[in-house]
Amino acid sequence: MATKLWDRIQRGMEEGFDAGLSAVRTITEKAGESIELTRLRREKARLENQVTRELAALGNKVYEKINEKRLNDISQKLDIKEDIVDIAGDEAKMVEIDNKIKKEVKAKK
């Protein structure tokens, strides 16, 4: 089963968010800030990451529904038709690259 675009994006986002939270933790601890200030900064960073994840998940749902049901009228009304086409093209390129990678890995074995 091919990896969906959202799965790829989500993996990358998770790695980035984890690294970001770790950096906030390290910076605030090294700066010697008060425990409460450090806690507040961490909570803010966590909430920012959560909102970003939720927005990305929402965007993915919209993208999947528009693609699945070919809702061209909605994408035109939302002025996102060109974005949908661009994303679909990039997704196709990623699938093509994944196939080439698998082929290269298979050839090396």
Side-chain angles (χ1 to χ4, degrees):
M1 184 172 160
T3 304
K4 288 194 170 211
L5 175 62
W6 174 242
D7 294 330
R8 291 186 195 115
I9 292 169
Q10 194 170 21
R11 270 197 308 267
M13 285 175 42
E14 292 296 327
E15 291 171 5
F17 292 144
D18 291 344
L21 285 175
S22 178
V24 167
R25 187 175 301 120
T26 301
I27 289 168
T28 55
E29 287 172 354
K30 286 185 178 180
E33 293 179 346
S34 74
I35 292 172
E36 181 61 13
L37 187 54
T38 298
R39 187 192 66 73
L40 290 171
R41 287 183 193 268
R42 286 182 188 169
E43 180 64 9
K44 182 181 178 211
R46 187 192 67 75
L47 288 170
E48 287 171 342
N49 289 336
Q50 180 177 327
V51 167
T52 301
R53 285 183 187 122
E54 290 167 351
L55 286 170
L58 175 61
N60 184 66
K61 285 179 186 177
V62 170
Y63 171 75
E64 292 292 329
K65 287 290 181 190
I66 288 175
N67 254 359
E68 176 184 307
K69 299 189 184 269
R70 303 289 184 231
L71 302 173
N72 291 328
D73 57 327
I74 291 175
S75 66
Q76 287 176 335
K77 286 179 186 176
L78 295 174
D79 194 27
I80 59 171
K81 185 169 179 64
E82 190 174 309
D83 297 320
I84 297 290
V85 170
D86 290 345
I87 291 169
D90 289 342
E91 188 174 13
K93 288 176 189 174
M94 286 190 302
V95 168
E96 184 179 317
I97 290 169
D98 280 346
N99 290 336
K100 287 180 182 179
I101 289 171
K102 287 176 187 174
K103 186 177 178 181
E104 286 292 322
V105 168
K106 219 177 203 182
K108 288 188 177 194
K109 286 184 178 182

